[in-house]
């Protein structure tokens, strides 16, 4: 006689009930009988894990850990049950400092260009390449470091990057020639290239979905702090006459400024030692027990309770993590061959359906956005200096950006007959400080509204507004107008930067996140290179062109985000 499905299920349930009762487990736990145990952390070969179903998630939340029941949870519920508090604020401070040090290193070049033009014999074109060389290095480093982080882990990579970055900055401050300075700036960029994609992936993977948007926006605000710190340091150090001057070796104020800018990177490397590896990364590698131990540690730090009171005893693998685990479990001989295979496989997956669409759009948005962001932001101190030079020689006269540039190039400090002056008025750095400070209210708005209004709203609003500011640069006729337009541009572009970082970080799955963000960052660095080189050339030769080109690219690129999925308040895939 053939048993019916209902008879079979009844029989199975009875057997489960008998087994559970023999082991002294309460009847409530029977609600979870259809959820299989997670992967054995000691064996990566056992991959036959059923995926979680939505109906089981509500049942899990009914468990009462204080009565001795074990709770099985997926990543999202495990991170929620670990609480939100002290650990996450410490994490924000350290990861934020990584972002601060990265932005300080990138933007510091724009502040030393006016002062270094005599020491390194710079003109507009060489200034453009000096601004760009760090992005060339970042473009190379972003892909390599992002892929390594997806294979070996986020934390180790971040520590190595921070140490390498700091040492390259120190070395560049001692360089006496343009060529050697370019070499160390390239190496500095190669280190920084990994910092961005890895730190964003690392930070996001500790955040519950309800907090992720606001906390990522909060971390984006540390970029503004980096801009403020570097502008403040430039204002205090560069106009001074401190330094060492000999016939064979010069270590003047702008070099001391670079040396000071390296200190946050050394500090970051030390602080990262106290943070754990990303539990999301560990789960994607099949290291469940290690991930669970980290969740317990987060619970203890946030609540002050014993780790034994953390209700989750087993971690469940959802469908997406299961796929990632199957990919990472494929046997490949040799540690370096495994890493190389992971890099190649991750790259291949990013350019295959269904991820291909996200990859192309994220590359395009990052490329156009950063042409505008770095193409103008890196040149603001230079423009302030040019307006200051023009007003000193033409008191009371008004002139457009193009007229000021024409004067500086034809008969001012940038001409072949002009006298090179390394003495830059402190007002130039004060104007730069005001410009970057204007991003603070925008960052606060992004933190408060990112999870309410959404990533796409902020990105579209920001890029369209920044495009209008860029076009408005053509109609600037004095230092005050230039300062106002620059400040508004800095504010709205910072909002867009926070939204873009959130959106691009969230759109890729865990096993591809660092690599996906890295490839997007490669496009961003390419945008930074083109923005600096092209704007440097067009600014002197075809002045009206760069402002309108940047305006079109910013607005057009930002609107492309409408083709990406909505990631606001959704689970991190």
């Amino acid at each position: 006689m053939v048993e019916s499905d209902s008879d079979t299920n009844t029989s199975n349930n009875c057997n489960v009930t008998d087994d559970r009762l023999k082991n002294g487990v309460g009847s409530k736990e029977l609600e979870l009988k259809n959820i299989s145990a997670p992967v054995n952390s000691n064996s990566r070969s056992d991959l036959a894990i059923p995926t979680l179903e939505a109906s089981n998630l509500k049942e899990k939340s009914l468990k009462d850990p204080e009565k001795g029941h074990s709770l099985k949870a997926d990543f999202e519920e495990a991170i929620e049950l670990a609480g939100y508090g002290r650990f996450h604020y410490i994490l924000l401070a350290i990861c934020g400092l990584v972002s601060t040090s990265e932005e300080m290193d990138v933007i510091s070049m724009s502040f030393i260009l006016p002062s270094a033009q005599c020491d390194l014999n710079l003109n507009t074109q060489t200034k453009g390449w000096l601004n760009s060389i760090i992005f060339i290095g970042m473009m190379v480093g972003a892909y390599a470091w992002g892929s390594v982080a997806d294979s070996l882990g986020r934390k180790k990579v971040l520590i190595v990057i921070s140490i390498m970055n700091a040492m390259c900055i120190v070395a560049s401050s001692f360089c006496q020639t343009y060529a050697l300075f370019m070499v160390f700036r390239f190496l500095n960029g190669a280190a920084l290239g990994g910092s961005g994609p890895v730190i964003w992936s690392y930070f996001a993977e500790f955040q519950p979905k309800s907090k992720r948007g606001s906390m990522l926006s909060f971390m984006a605000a540390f970029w503004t702090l980096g801009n403020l710190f570097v502008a403040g340091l430039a204002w205090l150090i560069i106009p001074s006459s401190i330094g060492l001057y000999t016939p064979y070796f010069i270590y003047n104020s702008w070099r001391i400024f670079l040396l000071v800018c390296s200190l946050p990177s050394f500090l970051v490397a030390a602080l990262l030692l106290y943070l754990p590896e990303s539990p999301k990364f560990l789960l994607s590698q099949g290291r469940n027990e290690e991930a669970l131990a980290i969740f317990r540690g987060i619970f203890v730090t946030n609540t002050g309770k014993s780790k034994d009171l953390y209700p989750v005893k087993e971690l469940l693998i959802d469908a997406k993590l299961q796929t990632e685990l199957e990919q990472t479990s494929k046997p490949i001989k040799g540690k370096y061959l495994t890493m190389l295979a992971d890099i190649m496989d991750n790259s291949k997956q990013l350019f295959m359906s269904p991820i291909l669409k996200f990859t192309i759009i994220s590359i395009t948005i990052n490329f156009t956005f950063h042409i505008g962001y770095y193409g103008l932001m890196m040149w603001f101190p230079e423009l302030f200096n040019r307006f200051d030079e023009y007003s000193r020689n033409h008191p009371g006269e008004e002139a457009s950006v193009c007229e000021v540039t024409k004067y500086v190039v034809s008969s001012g400090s940038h001409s072949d007959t002009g006298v090179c002056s390394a003495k830059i008025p402190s007002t130039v750095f004060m104007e730069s400080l005001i410009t970057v400070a204007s991003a603070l209210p925008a960052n606060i708005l992004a933190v408060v509204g990112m999870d309410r209004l959404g990533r796409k709203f902020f990105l579209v609003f920001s890029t369209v507004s920044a495009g209008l500011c860029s076009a408005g640069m053509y109609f600037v006729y004095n230092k005050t107008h230039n300062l106002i337009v620059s400040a508004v541009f800095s504010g709205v572009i910072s909002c867009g930067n926070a939204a873009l970082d959130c959106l691009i970080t969230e759109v890729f799955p865990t096993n591809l996140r660092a690599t996906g963000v890295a490839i997007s960052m490669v496009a961003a660095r390419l945008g930074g290179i083109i923005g600096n080189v092209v704007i440097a050339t067009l600014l002197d030769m075809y002045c009206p062109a760069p402002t309108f080109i940047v305006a079109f690219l910013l607005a057009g690129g930002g609107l492309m985000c409408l083709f990406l999925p909505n990631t606001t308040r959704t689970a991190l895939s």
Side-chain angles (χ1 to χ4, degrees):
M1 180 176 176
V2 179
E3 291 182 75
S4 67
D5 290 341
S6 59
D7 291 336
T8 302
N9 290 337
T10 303
S11 175
N12 288 340
N13 290 345
C14 289
N15 292 336
V16 172
T17 304
D18 290 339
D19 292 340
R20 296 293 176 91
L21 291 173
K22 287 176 184 177
N23 292 322
V25 180
S27 60
K28 269 192 174 183
E29 190 166 346
L30 296 179
E31 297 169 4
L32 294 179
K33 62 182 178 292
N34 292 322
I35 302 179
S36 299
V39 169
N40 184 344
S41 62
N42 297 322
S43 176
R44 299 267 309 267
S45 61
D46 181 14
L47 297 172
I49 311 166
T51 59
L52 273 176
E53 296 179 1
S55 61
N56 290 325
L57 295 178
K58 292 181 180 179
E59 293 176 343
K60 298 200 313 302
S61 63
L62 298 174
K63 309 300 287 179
D64 185 357
E66 292 185 1
K67 292 183 179 180
H69 294 301
S70 297
L71 178 66
K72 300 177 182 179
D74 66 345
F75 172 82
E76 289 294 341
E77 190 168 9
I79 197 69
E80 288 279 0
L81 290 171
Y84 207 91
R86 186 183 174 198
F87 170 82
H88 291 90
Y89 301 133
I90 294 171
L91 179 75
L92 174 65
I94 297 175
C95 292
L97 186 57
V98 175
S99 262
T100 297
S101 63
E102 178 188 354
E103 181 66 1
M104 286 179 68
D105 298 338
V106 172
I107 211 74
S108 62
M109 185 54 57
S110 65
F111 290 96
I112 72 170
L113 287 180
S115 301
Q117 64 183 7
C118 298
D119 288 350
L120 301 178
N121 193 26
L122 303 176
N123 55 32
T124 303
Q125 281 68 43
T126 51
K127 284 180 180 180
W129 280 109
L130 202 49
N131 266 344
S132 298
I133 191 65
I134 193 167
F135 295 112
I136 296 173
M138 290 172 84
M139 190 168 62
V140 173
Y143 179 72
W145 287 117
S147 298
V148 171
D150 278 336
S151 297
L152 302 183
R154 319 311 197 200
K155 177 182 170 181
K156 294 177 184 177
V157 168
L158 284 170
I159 293 172
V160 172
I161 285 172
S162 299
I163 295 172
M164 177 180 172
N165 178 46
M167 293 177 68
C168 287
I169 299 170
V170 172
S172 67
S173 72
F174 285 93
C175 295
Q176 302 292 300
T177 64
Y178 173 75
L180 194 58
F181 192 83
M182 288 278 281
V183 169
F184 281 106
R185 286 298 287 179
F186 171 81
L187 294 175
N188 183 200
L192 283 176
S195 178
V198 178
I199 194 62
W200 282 94
S201 298
Y202 179 75
F203 184 73
E205 289 169 0
F206 282 97
Q207 308 302 318
K209 60 185 178 184
S210 60
K211 297 274 190 179
R212 196 170 60 245
S214 60
M215 293 305 288
L216 285 171
S217 300
F218 213 141
M219 201 174 87
F222 280 85
W223 278 62
T224 301
L225 290 180
N227 285 331
L228 280 172
F229 287 156
V230 80
L233 288 172
W235 178 45
L236 291 172
I237 298 173
I238 296 179
S240 68
S241 57
I242 59 174
L244 174 66
Y245 299 86
T246 71
Y248 306 103
F249 182 78
I250 297 175
Y251 203 82
N252 46 10
S253 59
W254 67 263
R255 300 175 191 276
I256 294 172
F257 164 72
L258 273 184
L259 184 66
V260 174
C261 286
S262 71
L263 298 179
S265 294
F266 283 116
L267 178 60
V268 161
L271 291 175
L272 283 169
L273 294 171
Y274 294 95
L275 291 180
E277 182 54 89
S278 160
K280 187 83 170 179
F281 167 78
L282 293 174
L283 279 174
S284 71
Q285 300 291 304
R287 295 155 64 181
N288 294 35
E289 289 303 319
E290 293 178 55
L292 189 55
I294 289 171
F295 283 129
R296 291 192 188 105
I298 296 173
F299 175 79
V300 171
T301 306
N302 285 339
T303 65
K305 299 177 182 179
S306 168
K307 65 180 181 180
D308 296 329
L309 293 178
Y310 179 59
V312 180
K313 307 304 178 185
E314 296 180 9
L315 290 172
L316 294 160
I317 306 297
D318 60 24
K320 291 180 179 178
L321 272 174
Q322 170 66 14
T323 302
E324 295 168 17
L325 186 55
E326 289 173 351
Q327 291 294 328
T328 57
S329 67
K330 293 177 181 178
I332 302 175
K333 293 182 179 180
K335 179 180 178 181
Y336 296 104
L337 285 177
T338 302
M339 185 177 70
L340 182 61
D342 285 341
I343 292 172
M344 299 303 294
D345 186 57
N346 288 347
S347 304
K348 181 181 177 182
Q349 289 182 59
L350 286 171
F351 291 93
M352 294 175 63
S353 182
I355 305 296
L356 175 62
K357 175 185 174 182
F358 304 153
T359 305
I360 292 175
I361 294 175
S362 66
I363 285 174
T364 305
I365 297 175
N366 270 283
F367 177 71
T368 56
F369 184 91
H370 287 87
I371 282 181
Y373 181 76
Y374 286 118
L376 286 183
M377 286 292 288
M378 295 285 281
W379 285 96
F380 280 153
E382 176 71 13
L383 288 175
F384 292 142
N385 190 45
R386 291 186 179 191
F387 265 102
D388 189 81
E389 182 179 339
Y390 184 88
S391 62
R392 288 198 309 268
N393 292 285
H394 302 81
E397 293 185 25
E398 290 190 339
S400 67
V401 171
C402 293
E403 290 171 330
V404 168
T405 296
K406 183 178 179 181
Y407 163 75
V408 170
V409 173
S410 61
S411 56
S413 60
H414 286 58
S415 65
D416 294 334
T417 57
V419 178
C420 182
S421 173
K423 186 68 176 177
I424 308 301
S426 61
T427 54
V428 170
F429 298 104
M430 174 55 75
E431 289 167 344
S432 298
L433 183 59
I434 293 171
T435 297
V436 297
S438 66
L440 278 177
N443 283 126
I444 293 171
L445 178 63
V447 170
V448 173
M450 192 64 70
D451 281 325
R452 292 180 173 86
L453 300 176
R455 286 65 159 146
K456 294 183 181 182
F457 169 82
F458 278 102
L459 188 55
V460 172
F461 167 77
S462 166
T463 50
V464 172
S465 301
L468 292 173
C469 288
S470 179
M473 294 289 289
Y474 179 68
F475 303 99
V476 164
Y477 279 90
N478 56 49
K479 289 175 65 176
T480 304
H481 293 165
N482 185 45
L483 179 59
I484 292 171
V485 174
S486 301
V488 174
F489 178 88
S490 174
V492 294
I493 203 71
S494 293
C495 256
N497 191 44
L500 182 59
D501 286 335
C502 287
L503 191 60
I504 299 304
T505 301
E506 293 170 338
V507 82
F508 293 105
T510 305
N511 66 317
L512 301 176
R513 183 165 295 118
T515 309
V517 174
I519 288 181
S520 300
M521 291 292 183
V522 168
R525 305 320 174 198
L526 184 60
I529 295 165
I530 293 175
N532 276 287
V533 173
V534 171
I535 285 179
T537 302
L538 295 179
L539 195 62
D540 289 354
M541 298 178 65
Y542 308 101
C543 184
T547 56
F548 292 105
I549 291 173
V550 167
F552 173 77
L553 290 174
L554 278 171
L559 290 171
M560 286 196 69
C561 75
L562 299 176
F563 296 100
L564 288 175
N566 179 28
T567 60
T568 305
R569 291 182 176 270
T570 61
L572 195 63
S573 64

